[in-house]
Structures are given as structure tokens and as C-alpha cells.
């Protein structure tokens, strides 16, 4: 019972007004990835960067909601084909969020693990949806052509869909994770500290290199200030207002 | 979708614009569901034809046809190849293409999927063209959607064009500072960070301001009902439209049950 209550509390902490405002912006970052790709003529989607950044800032469930909303938005505005893939985005958000909470986003080997995990989750869930909801192809991108080529060669729909999904995702998620990691390292500490995952970045887990340097610089004159801050927090709560 | 249609009674699409937004969304969803449930592609095809007629009557025929054909033809060809030739359910052969045989079961499955997709695509297109999102969200909030969920939908829709503008500004600034946006694929991938980074950072700073603004407006308070400036339209045709869609859905479910039970030879 107490465990459940603490989970609900954690969930509530993730969905503060700040996170609520962050979600549409992350959806925007996800969607701007597509614009970026067409701007630079890259054969990618880059539609999970916002989800990954939110996973670092606000945690798994906010990231999951970001993924869900991204696909709902795409379904309504661009093409309803995107709607069933909301499940994929939700799973990617959860995976990245829990890995970020475990500190994977703070070291280079962790980034590789995030890349592989997100690729696998995305490829498996997306190919299940492509095969069982759409019968193998959605026709909205070049992947369908690759799938069709695999079908002719392998004579098996599910295997072909999975093969083309894994190829496409290894590349796309690799670059997305790398960009998200670069951005995450550069987000100022002042902004990070407002979100639910602030504790992770502030001390519970090793922090990113960018923040490491910042910490070293600030360590001497910042320590006293931090202590004062904690004292102030004790008698002051947003909910009481 | 985010633009507010001008209230003009003489416009050809005045009838569709005047409908209640939730009624429009509900009919699109219910009709799409009906075409999934119905045991053959015929119903979906009929709905698609009806949508074409509606689009033509409302004066949207050209963009509507462009969208539907541009999406429909590639996906039909792809699915006919994948399902029609390689579906494990294929028993009856209807054509021999040389490298593969076209099966009846896979072909029917491919066609059902395509018409269902087209039903949703066309329905949502007409809805988007004739609905102001703010009105839809205001209507849904009146009907009991939590204001926070409404905010998420509305803000997501508004933030995208705003970020596109910001992206264009940053692109010009970075190019002026010597960013190379051409070249081989590696240098182009490298160019993503200086383009996306400033957009993300300024958006995060923006998020802080927005959340402070929302809190000063009392958005996080739940004791009182939230009010809206947006006037929600209701039309006499709302109810008949939703009821007609629901009837089609009920008939489709009946047809599916009959087909599974073997009464209807579909």
C-alpha cells in the first residue's frame, strides 16, 4: 500500500505545472525534427529528440505522455496512420525515462545502452503494429519500399517488417540519442533544477560532464547558498498557496 | 486547423463550419470504426466516395483529391504486393504475376486496410479544414475534459508553428555565422545540433515564463470552473449526423457478427 502511494506521489511530482508546460514544447521539438531533416536533406525522422530530453528532465511518465501527444498530433494534422504508433512513442518515453533515472544519460557507455534499448523497443513494437494493424506497409515513408524488397527476398511479412525497422531505427535513434545527449549536457543547471529529475542530476547519480565542470567552478561559493535554500524550502510549499 | 474560420454564411463550406466540433470528431471516429468492423471493404469505399462528394460540395475537391490520391495509391500498391502476394492466408489465386501469385484473401485484406485509412484521413482532413481547434478544446472542456488536458492539446498545436518560425530565424543566424548546411551526410548531421540546440534552449526558457504566467492566472486551481472566451457553435444537424454514424456502426457490427456466424456470405 505504502509502495503504491509513493508511486502515485512520484507520478504527481512528475506532473507539476512546469512539466505540464514542458510537454507541448517537447512535442514541438519532436515535430521540428522532421522539419530539420527536410531542411538538411537527411533521410531520417528525428521525431524522438523532445521525448528523450523530457525523459532526462521530468521522468518516464511525462516522456510517455509527450510521445503519446506527438502521435495524436501527427494523426490529426498529418496522417491518421500515425495514431497506432502512439504505443511505440509511449514505450520509448518510458524506456528512456527509466534509464535516465538510473543515470544512463550521464556517461558515454550509458548513452550506448540507451541507444540500443530505445532502438530495440522501437523496432519490435513498431514492426508488430505495422504487421498486425496495417498488414505490412503504411506507405508514408521510404521504409515501406525497403520492407517490400525484404518481403520479396524473405517471403515472410513480419520478419521483413522487423528487418527494415531495425535498420531504420539503428541509424535514426543513434543520431536522436546523440543530439538529445548533447542538448541535455548543455541545458543550464538553473533550468534543470526546476524539474522532477533535478535530484538525479544534482547528486544521487553522477552528473554529466558539462555540469561537472560547472559544479567544480561553483563548488566553493555555492555551497552555503544551497544549504540556505534547503532551509527555506522546509516551511514553504506551492500547494499551500 | 489552428486558424479560426471566418464566420461567413455565404461560403460554400458554411454548413460544415457551423457544425459542433465534437459532433464532427465523433462522426469521423465512429464512421472510421464502422469501416474497420464491417467484414468487407465495400462500406469503407462507400464512405470514401461520400467524403469525396462532401469535399466537392464544400469546395475542397482539388486539395482533398490530391491528399487522398497522393497517400492512397502508393499505400495500395505496397499493401497489394505485401499482403496480396505474400499473405499466409492466401488460398484462392486470382492472378499469376510471374514472380508471385496474387491471392484473393490478402487482396481483400489490403483493400480493407486502405479504405479504412482513407476514411480516417479524409474525415480528419475535412474536420481540420472547417474547425477552429480552440473551439474544439473549449467544447470538450465544457463536456468534462480536464482543463490541463485541454491545455496540452491546444498548446501543442500552437507551439509548432511558433517553433518553426524560431527555427527559421536561428537557421539564418547560424548560416550568417558560417554554419555549413550542405556537404556530406556527416557534416549535415553535425549541423543539427547548432540548429536544434538554440531552439530547445530558448523554448525551455519560454516554458518557465509560460508556467509562471499560467500560475498567476490561477490555472492550477481546481476549486472553480475554468471559463473560456471561445463561443462554441451548435447546429441542428449535429444530432442527426452523430446518430446516423452510430447507426452505420451498429449495422456494421451486426454484419460482422452475421459474417462470423456464417449467415452472411462476405
Amino acid at each position: 500500500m505504502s509502495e503504491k502511494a509513493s508511486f502515485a506521489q512520484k507520478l504527481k511530482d512528475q506532473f507539476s505545472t512546469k512539466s505540464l508546460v514542458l510537454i507541448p514544447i517537447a512535442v514541438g521539438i519532436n515535430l521540428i525534427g522532421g522539419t530539420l531533416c527536410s531542411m538538411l536533406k537527411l533521410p531520417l525522422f528525428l521525431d524522438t529528440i523532445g521525448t528523450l530530453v523530457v525523459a532526462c528532465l521530468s521522468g518516464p511518465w511525462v516522456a510517455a505522455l509527450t510521445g503519446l501527444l506527438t502521435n495524436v498530433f501527427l494523426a490529426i494534422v498529418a496522417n491518421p496512420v500515425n495514431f497506432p504508433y502512439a504505443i511505440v512513442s509511449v514505450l520509448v518515453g518510458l524506456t528512456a525515462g527509466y534509464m535516465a533515472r538510473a543515470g544512463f544519460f550521464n556517461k558515454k557507455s550509458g548513452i550506448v545502452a540507451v541507444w540500443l534499448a530505445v532502438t530495440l523497443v522501437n523496432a519490435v513494437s513498431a514492426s508488430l503494429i505495422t504487421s498486425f494493424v496495417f498488414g505490412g506497409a503504411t506507405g508514408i515513408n521510404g521504409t515501406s519500399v525497403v520492407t517490400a524488397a525484404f518481403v520479396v527476398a524473405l517471403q515472410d511479412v513480419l520478419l521483413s517488417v522487423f528487418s527494415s525497422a531495425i535498420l531504420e531505427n539503428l541509424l535514426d535513434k543513434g543520431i536522436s540519442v546523440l543530439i538529445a545527449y548533447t542538448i541535455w549536457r548543455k541545458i543550464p543547471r538553473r533550468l534543470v533544477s526546476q524539474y522532477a529529475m533535478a535530484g538525479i542530476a544534482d547528486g544521487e547519480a553522477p552528473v554529466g560532464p558539462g555540469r561537472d565542470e560547472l559544479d567544480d567552478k561553483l563548488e566553493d561559493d555555492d555551497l552555503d547558498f544551497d544549504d540556505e535554500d534547503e532551509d527555506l524550502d522546509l516551511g514553504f510549499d506551492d500547494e499551500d498557496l | 486547423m489552428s486558424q479560426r474560420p471566418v464566420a461567413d454564411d455565404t461560403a460554400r463550406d458554411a454548413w460544415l463550419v457551423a457544425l459542433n466540433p465534437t459532433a464532427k470528431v465523433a462522426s469521423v471516429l465512429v464512421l472510421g470504426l464502422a469501416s474497420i468492423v464491417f467484414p468487407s471493404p465495400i462500406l469503407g469505399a462507400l464512405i470514401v466516395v461520400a467524403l469525396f462528394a462532401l469535399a466537392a460540395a464544400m469546395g475542397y475537391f482539388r486539395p482533398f483529391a490530391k491528399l487522398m490520391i497522393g497517400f492512397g495509391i502508393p499505400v495500395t500498391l505496397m499493401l497489394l504486393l505485401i499482403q496480396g502476394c505474400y499473405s499466409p492466408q492466401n488460398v484462392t489465386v486470382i492472378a499469376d504475376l510471374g514472380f508471385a501469385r496474387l491471392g484473393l484473401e490478402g487482396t481483400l485484406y489490403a483493400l480493407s486496410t486502405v479504405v479504412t485509412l482513407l476514411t480516417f484521413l479524409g474525415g480528419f482532413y475535412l474536420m481540420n479544414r472547417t474547425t477552429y481547434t480552440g473551439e474544439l478544446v473549449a467544447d470538450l472542456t465544457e463536456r468534462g475534459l480536464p482543463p490541463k488536458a485541454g491545455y496540452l492539446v491546444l498548446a501543442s498545436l500552437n507551439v509548432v508553428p511558433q517553433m518553426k518560425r524560431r527555427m527559421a530565424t536561428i537557421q539564418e543566424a547560424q548560416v550568417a555565422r558560417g554554419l555549413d548546411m550542405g556537404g556530406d551526410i556527416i557534416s549535415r548531421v553535425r549541423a543539427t545540433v547548432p540548429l536544434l540546440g538554440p531552439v530547445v534552449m530558448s523554448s525551455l526558457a519560454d516554458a518557465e515564463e509560460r508556467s509562471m504566467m499560467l500560475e498567476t492566472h490561477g490555472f492550477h486551481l481546481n476549486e472553480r470552473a475554468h471559463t473560456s472566451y471561445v463561443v462554441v457553435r451548435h447546429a441542428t444537424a449535429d444530432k442527426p449526423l452523430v446518430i446516423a454514424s452510430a447507426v452505420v456502426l451498429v449495422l456494421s457490427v451486426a454484419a460482422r457478427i452475421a459474417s462470423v456466424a456464417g449467415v452472411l456470405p462476405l
Side-chain angles (χ1 to χ4, degrees):
Chain A
M1 183 64 203
S2 66
E3 206 169 282
K4 204 181 171 190
S6 79
F7 178 74
Q9 186 56 44
K10 266 186 197 163
L11 211 61
K12 209 184 147 215
D13 287 346
Q14 283 179 34
F15 287 95
S16 60
T17 309
K18 292 229 160 64
S19 291
L20 194 75
V21 174
L22 187 65
I23 291 170
I25 284 170
V27 171
I29 298 172
N30 279 344
L31 296 170
I32 212 91
T35 316
L36 187 72
C37 288
S38 59
M39 209 188 248
L40 292 167
K41 300 189 190 68
L42 293 171
L44 305 165
F45 318 111
L46 302 183
D47 57 353
T48 44
I49 297 172
T51 311
L52 293 171
V53 172
V54 167
C56 295
L57 281 173
S58 289
W61 292 97
V62 179
L65 187 60
T66 304
L68 177 77
L69 270 174
T70 305
N71 280 64
V72 170
F73 182 93
L74 280 173
I76 295 174
V77 174
N79 195 320
V81 162
N82 289 299
F83 185 67
Y85 293 100
I87 302 168
V88 178
S89 304
V90 166
L91 289 175
V92 166
L94 289 178
T95 313
Y98 279 111
M99 290 187 93
R101 184 177 278 174
F104 278 90
F105 266 92
N106 295 323
K107 46 184 187 289
K108 288 212 169 85
S109 56
I111 289 303
V112 176
V114 173
W115 170 40
L116 295 176
V118 166
T119 302
L120 201 66
V121 166
N122 195 310
V124 169
S125 52
S127 45
L128 287 176
I129 290 170
T130 309
S131 302
F132 293 110
V133 180
F134 297 114
T138 53
I140 49 169
N141 55 46
T143 321
S144 298
V145 182
V146 181
T147 308
F150 270 121
V151 169
V152 174
L154 300 170
Q155 308 274 319
D156 183 283
V157 176
L158 185 59
L159 189 65
S160 311
V161 173
F162 181 71
S163 310
S164 57
I166 223 57
L167 278 182
E168 152 209 318
N169 273 302
L170 271 177
L171 191 65
D172 186 58
K173 296 299 168 293
I175 293 170
S176 301
V177 168
L178 209 63
I179 294 174
Y181 173 65
T182 316
I183 290 172
W184 160 240
R185 269 175 43 189
K186 288 183 176 162
I187 294 177
R189 188 191 158 96
R190 187 182 72 83
L191 286 174
V192 176
S193 64
Q194 297 170 6
Y195 297 99
M197 300 285 271
I200 308 293
D202 279 353
E204 279 176 41
V207 289
R211 216 156 286 112
D212 257 344
E213 289 156 25
L214 202 66
D215 279 350
D216 291 342
K217 262 190 229 158
L218 291 177
E219 211 162 37
D220 296 328
D221 49 283
D222 209 39
L223 258 176
D224 303 339
F225 187 71
D226 270 351
D227 288 344
E228 262 175 48
D229 234 359
E230 265 170 37
D231 289 337
L232 274 176
D233 272 347
L234 284 175
F236 187 79
D237 195 353
D238 266 350
E239 299 291 324
D240 295 335
L241 288 170
Chain B
M1 178 159 180
S2 45
Q3 258 118 50
R4 178 166 214 168
V6 185
D8 177 10
D9 292 339
T10 55
R12 287 175 76 185
D13 60 354
W15 178 76
L16 209 51
V17 172
L19 286 178
N20 179 262
T22 310
K24 279 185 262 188
V25 177
S27 351
V28 172
L29 290 177
V30 169
L31 284 177
L33 209 59
S35 84
I36 296 176
V37 174
F38 198 74
S40 100
I42 294 165
L43 179 71
L46 285 178
I47 297 174
V48 171
V49 171
L51 285 173
F52 264 100
L54 184 63
M58 297 293 136
Y60 299 142
F61 186 77
R62 204 178 267 262
F64 185 80
K66 206 175 150 196
L67 176 78
M68 296 290 264
I69 292 169
F71 172 72
I73 289 187
V75 79
T76 310
L77 291 177
M78 214 77 81
L79 276 178
L80 275 182
L81 175 71
I82 294 177
Q83 285 296 320
C85 301
Y86 297 99
S87 170
Q89 292 161 339
N90 280 341
V91 187
T92 328
V93 176
I94 51 172
D96 199 332
L97 302 176
F99 64 95
R101 274 183 228 137
L102 196 64
L104 179 66
E105 289 77 10
T107 305
L108 280 180
Y109 180 79
L111 288 179
S112 311
T113 311
V114 170
V115 291
T116 305
L117 287 176
L118 287 178
T119 307
F120 278 111
L121 182 70
F124 275 126
Y125 175 79
L126 288 180
M127 188 211 88
N128 285 341
R129 277 294 288 252
T130 57
T131 309
Y132 168 51
T133 324
E135 192 186 345
L136 174 64
V137 172
D139 193 19
L140 287 174
T141 316
E142 264 175 39
R143 290 171 199 262
L145 183 82
K148 281 189 175 180
Y151 170 80
L152 285 182
V153 176
L154 209 53
S156 304
L157 285 166
N158 288 335
V159 90
V160 174
Q162 194 186 325
M163 283 180 88
K164 278 196 178 147
R165 279 198 298 275
R166 190 173 281 170
M167 183 87 153
T169 313
I170 285 164
Q171 183 207 341
E172 284 177 9
Q174 298 287 42
V175 169
R177 296 166 79 194
L179 176 74
D180 183 14
M181 284 182 49
D184 61 349
I185 190 146
I186 295 166
S187 71
R188 276 183 285 153
V189 168
R190 263 200 208 128
T192 53
V193 172
L195 287 173
L196 204 61
V199 179
V200 175
M201 295 308 166
S202 60
S203 303
L204 286 175
D206 205 39
E208 197 187 4
E209 275 171 35
R210 275 168 191 251
S211 69
M212 284 195 279
M213 195 274 285
L214 280 176
E215 290 194 345
T216 53
H217 285 210
F219 185 76
H220 60 299
L221 303 173
N222 292 320
E223 296 93 76
R224 279 173 177 268
H226 292 213
T227 52
S228 173
Y229 281 125
V230 180
V231 181
V232 179
R233 270 174 280 218
H234 293 273
T236 37
D238 291 340
K239 256 193 189 147
L241 185 71
V242 176
I243 291 171
S245 314
V247 169
V248 173
L249 178 61
V250 171
L251 289 179
S252 307
V253 173
R256 165 68 75 152
I257 293 168
S259 140
V260 171
V263 188
L264 208 69
L266 274 171

